[in-house]
């Protein structure tokens, strides 16, 4: 029972009926063995439950004989492709831990990511493997790098060669999956997140977190069956699987009856629309920048998109005006359901409910989730009062890996996770996110920590001081913008500053917003940058243009 009337609860939930996440995967894929679960949107190749399961067991066999055991960390640096799923499932079958990393990362970012999770073994695709090899030369905990693609090398093994070399003919999968684990304590995935304030940390997402997400996903998607003649739901998946939103989405699809997906590794408008038309896609999950694109592109008129009935949108706020414009462009009735969550909450914990949609709202609490909105003193607020959103329940991470200080700063002693987001709920228990307390910049759904960019820029010999903010952008959400103080008597150009960041940081961190030179960065007496003043400075600067 909750004594505080201002604490909301999403309702009771169904406890996972499995002894491990691997056992749940095994059992579900066996049940769905004849179904086509994934279609590669580019090649048209179809993968059944049986194919995915057999390949996953094959990889688990090789990993086991290589020496991977429970709680060892397996890194993966890959685009959305079937091997990603198979390697992940093999990892979970062994009760090891998966560490997915952005394949666009440059060496500095890869090094930081690997030093958090310390993977024993790393799988990488061709697109990233040169950077992975270069980064791992100085990392003694990485024992093996495996190319997911076929590769002509005497030093590296391809995935197929790895399987061939380490497979054992008498691998007892039944013995492996019959091993019971404590779902709430067993880490399944180490996602990278910048949390609420600083540089990336490793979020420990448990097998319990994942299992409860999957059950909730199936219930959430049931309304789509009314739009299908045979009750089967075809979705389109383009969110990157190294990101919590993408991974939870693809795993939930594979683990839920009557749901399949067309998979794409990136958004290409003509391919995207072509897949909806060809495979009669009913729903898709996309970030706001793509919704903005849908609101303007003339390509909508070139395809039959009448099958599309629902768009799920997350990772950043979507404006009501954009939502209304997209709906008006579709000849059929289209539902847009927003969601709210973070890496620390295993993706969404608040979702729009079909039939109860409110434009601009992120939706209502999921089952098993508690929430409250608090003021600066920590007092819980009534409806329509803006404060910080705090949550707890069955999706909250175990903590930040090997970082008890950051964990304690984010999750209080009563188990409440402080999101750093400002919002409110109304009398109908619909949530609205209006701003962020935290300083993170969200570029196309990716988190960019100002402190990290500031640290990089301060390493430039011509820069004396710097302050980074996010500026609004209709397409990307926010763009990194730097206020720079030059070293005394030294000249440096905005182009030079931008190129420095391009060379040393990943794509999402580039200073697309711009660079402005100022004489001094505003700070409080303790030396903390006053970002609100910088934002006001930017507004004044923009108004004069």
């Amino acid at each position: 029972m909750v004594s505080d009337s201002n604490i909301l609860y999403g309702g009771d939930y169904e406890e996972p009926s499995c002894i491990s996440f691997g056992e749940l995967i095994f059992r579900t894929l066996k049940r769905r063995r004849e179904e086509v679960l994934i279609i590669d949107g580019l090649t048209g190749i179809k993968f059944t439950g049986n194919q995915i399961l057999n390949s996953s067991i094959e990889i688990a066999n090789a990993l086991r004989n290589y020496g991977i055991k429970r709680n060892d960390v397996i890194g993966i640096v890959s685009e959305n492709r079937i091997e990603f799923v198979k390697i992940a499932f093999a990892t979970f079958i062994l009760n090891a831990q998966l560490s997915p990393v952005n394949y666009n990362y440059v060496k500095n970012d890869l090094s930081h990511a690997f030093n958090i999770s310390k993977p024993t073994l790393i799988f990488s695709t061709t697109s990233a493997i040169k950077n992975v090899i270069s980064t791992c030369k100085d990392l003694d905990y990485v024992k093996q790098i495996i190319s997911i693609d076929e590769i002509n090398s005497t030093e590296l093994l391809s995935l197929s060669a790895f399987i061939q070399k380490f497979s054992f003919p008498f691998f007892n999968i039944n013995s492996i999956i019959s091993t019971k684990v404590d779902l709430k304590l067993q880490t399944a995935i180490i996602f990278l997140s910048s949390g609420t304030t600083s540089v990336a940390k490793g979020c420990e997402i448990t097998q319990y977190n994942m299992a409860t997400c999957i059950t909730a996903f199936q219930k959430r998607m049931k309304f789509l069956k009314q739009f299908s003649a045979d009750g089967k739901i075809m979705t389109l998946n383009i969110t990157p699987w190294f990101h919590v939103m993408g991974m939870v989405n693809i795993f939930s699809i594979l683990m839920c009856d009557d749901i399949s997906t067309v998979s794409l590794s990136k958004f290409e408008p003509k391919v995207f629309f072509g897949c909806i038309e060809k495979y009669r896609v009913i729903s898709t999950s996309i970030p706001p920048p793509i919704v903005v694109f849908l609101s303007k592109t003339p390509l909508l008129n070139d395809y039959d998109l009448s099958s599309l009935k629902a768009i799920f949108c997350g990772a950043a706020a979507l404006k009501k005006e954009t939502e209304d414009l997209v709906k008006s462009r579709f000849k059929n009735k289209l539902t847009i359901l927003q969601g709210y969550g973070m890496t620390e909450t295993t993706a969404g914990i608040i979702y729009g409910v079909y039939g109860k949609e409110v434009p601009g709202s992120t939706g209502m609490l999921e089952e098993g989730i508690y929430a409250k909105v608090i003021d600066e003193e920590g007092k819980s607020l009534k409806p329509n009062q803006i404060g910080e959103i705090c949550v707890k329940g069955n999706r909250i991470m175990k903590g930040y890996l090997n970082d008890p200080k950051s964990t304690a700063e984010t999750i209080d002693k009563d188990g409440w996770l402080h999101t750093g987001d400002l919002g409110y709920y109304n009398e109908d228990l619909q949530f609205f996110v209006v701003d962020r307390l935290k300083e993170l910049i969200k570029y196309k759904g990716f988190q960019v920590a100002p402190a990290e960019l500031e640290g990089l820029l301060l390493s430039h010999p011509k820069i004396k001081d710097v302050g980074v903010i996010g500026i609004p952008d209709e397409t990307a959400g926010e763009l990194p913008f730097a206020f720079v103080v030059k070293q005394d008597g030294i000249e440096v150009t905005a182009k030079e500053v931008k190129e420095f960041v391009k060379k040393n940081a990943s794509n999402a961190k580039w200073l697309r917003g711009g660079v402005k030179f100022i004489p001094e960065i505003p700070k409080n007496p303790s030396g903390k940058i006053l970002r609100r003043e910088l934002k006001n400075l930017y507004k004044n600067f923009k108004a004069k243009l």
Side-chain angles (χ1 to χ4, degrees), residues 91-379:
T91 302
F92 301 142
I93 285 170
L94 298 179
N95 291 311
Q97 302 174 15
L98 187 73
S99 176
V101 177
N102 187 339
Y103 59 89
N104 289 312
Y105 272 180
V106 295
K107 184 176 178 180
N108 287 348
D109 295 318
L110 286 173
S111 179
H112 181 70
F114 294 153
N115 279 326
I116 289 172
S117 61
K118 292 184 168 49
T120 299
L121 189 150
I122 299 172
F123 292 90
S124 176
T125 54
T126 303
S127 63
I129 201 158
K130 287 184 179 179
N131 279 337
V132 171
I133 292 170
S134 176
T135 302
C136 292
K137 284 180 180 178
D138 302 322
L139 306 178
D140 58 4
Y141 49 78
V142 178
K143 306 303 181 187
Q144 182 83 47
I145 298 170
I146 297 169
S147 172
I148 291 174
D149 302 290
E150 294 301 319
I151 189 168
N152 184 16
S153 172
T154 57
E155 298 179 2
L156 289 180
L157 284 174
S158 67
L159 175 59
S160 60
F162 176 77
I163 293 170
Q164 185 176 15
K165 182 175 180 179
F166 290 101
S167 288
F168 184 67
F170 304 108
F171 182 64
N172 190 341
I173 182 63
N174 292 310
S175 174
I176 299 292
I177 63 164
S178 64
T179 302
K180 186 176 181 178
V181 301
D182 189 329
L183 297 175
K184 293 183 179 180
L185 293 180
Q186 183 63 51
T187 299
I189 308 169
I190 303 166
F191 283 114
L192 288 178
S193 171
S194 293
T196 56
T197 56
S198 189
V199 297
K201 295 178 282 292
C203 293
E204 292 193 76
I205 301 302
T206 67
Q207 293 190 9
Y208 184 81
N209 295 147
M210 291 298 295
T212 53
C213 277
I214 288 165
T215 303
F217 180 89
Q218 183 148 24
K219 289 182 180 179
R220 193 185 318 124
M221 299 288 280
K222 275 184 178 178
F223 79 92
L224 293 172
K225 289 192 173 187
Q226 65 184 293
F227 304 116
S228 169
D230 60 1
K232 306 292 185 182
I233 300 167
M234 181 59 74
T235 66
L236 178 54
N237 185 289
I238 63 166
T239 48
W241 298 343
F242 61 76
H243 188 282
V244 66
M245 177 180 170
M247 190 177 289
V248 168
N249 188 269
I250 186 62
F251 287 174
S252 295
I253 288 168
L254 296 174
M255 303 298 288
C256 290
D257 293 337
D258 300 324
I259 304 176
S260 301
T261 195
V262 180
S263 173
L264 293 171
S265 62
K266 60 182 177 179
F267 178 68
E268 295 177 300
K270 291 183 179 180
V271 178
F272 179 82
F273 292 136
C275 284
I276 294 175
E277 181 179 74
K278 179 177 180 179
Y279 296 106
R280 308 303 295 160
V281 168
I282 291 176
S283 76
T284 185
S285 296
I286 54 178
I290 298 179
V291 182
V292 171
F293 175 82
L294 294 181
S295 72
K296 299 178 180 180
T297 178
L299 284 173
L300 274 183
N301 303 318
D302 298 338
Y303 297 86
D304 176 7
L305 306 179
S306 60
S307 65
L308 189 66
K309 302 299 182 183
I311 290 175
F312 296 93
C313 184
L318 180 66
K319 293 181 180 178
K320 178 183 180 298
E321 295 77 10
T322 302
E323 187 176 332
D324 291 340
L325 185 56
V326 171
K327 287 179 180 178
S328 70
R329 298 200 65 202
F330 277 77
K331 297 180 179 65
N332 56 305
K333 184 181 178 183
L334 180 71
T335 296
I336 297 180
L337 297 171
Q338 291 200 59
Y340 169 80
M342 357 174 14
T343 309
E344 288 80 353
T345 63
T346 322
I349 49 170
I350 297 173
Y351 279 103
V353 178
Y354 181 70
K356 297 182 180 180
E357 310 98 300
V358 176
S361 168
T362 57
M364 306 176 75
L365 283 177
E366 286 273 274
E367 294 177 355
I369 302 296
Y370 294 88
K372 62 181 179 178
V373 176
I374 62 172
D375 62 17
E376 293 181 355
E377 282 73 44
K379 179 184 176 183

Side-chain angles (χ1 to χ4, degrees), residues 324-495:
D324 291 340
L325 185 56
V326 171
K327 287 179 180 178
S328 70
R329 298 200 65 202
F330 277 77
K331 297 180 179 65
N332 56 305
K333 184 181 178 183
L334 180 71
T335 296
I336 297 180
L337 297 171
Q338 291 200 59
Y340 169 80
M342 357 174 14
T343 309
E344 288 80 353
T345 63
T346 322
I349 49 170
I350 297 173
Y351 279 103
V353 178
Y354 181 70
K356 297 182 180 180
E357 310 98 300
V358 176
S361 168
T362 57
M364 306 176 75
L365 283 177
E366 286 273 274
E367 294 177 355
I369 302 296
Y370 294 88
K372 62 181 179 178
V373 176
I374 62 172
D375 62 17
E376 293 181 355
E377 282 73 44
K379 179 184 176 183
S380 58
L381 300 173
K382 296 179 179 180
N384 302 306
Q385 294 181 316
I386 295 174
E388 183 184 11
I389 299 170
C390 298
V391 295
K392 69 176 178 178
N394 57 11
R395 318 280 178 83
I396 308 304
M397 67 173 180
K398 185 177 175 181
Y400 294 120
L401 180 63
N402 297 325
D403 194 347
K405 182 175 181 292
S406 294
T407 302
E409 289 171 351
T410 303
I411 303 175
D412 66 27
K413 59 182 177 61
D414 295 318
W416 288 101
L417 186 146
H418 293 247
T419 67
D421 289 317
L422 285 172
Y424 66 94
Y425 62 94
N426 64 16
E427 289 84 354
D428 296 322
L429 309 183
Q430 297 274 355
F431 276 79
F432 299 80
V433 179
V434 298
D435 202 349
R436 290 204 299 277
L437 281 173
K438 57 191 177 183
E439 298 170 345
L440 289 175
I441 300 164
K442 279 201 171 182
Y443 172 77
K444 292 187 176 180
F446 292 101
Q447 296 177 339
V448 179
E452 186 175 4
L453 268 179
E454 286 157 0
L456 173 62
L457 287 165
L458 286 172
S459 70
H460 193 294
K462 295 182 180 180
I463 294 176
K464 182 178 182 179
D465 204 357
V466 63
V468 174
I469 61 170
I471 61 171
D473 180 80
E474 185 180 17
T475 300
E478 288 182 314
L479 302 175
F481 182 101
F483 286 97
V484 175
V485 180
K486 303 176 185 178
Q487 290 285 9
D488 296 339
I490 295 178
E491 284 300 313
V492 60
T493 66
K495 182 180 179 182

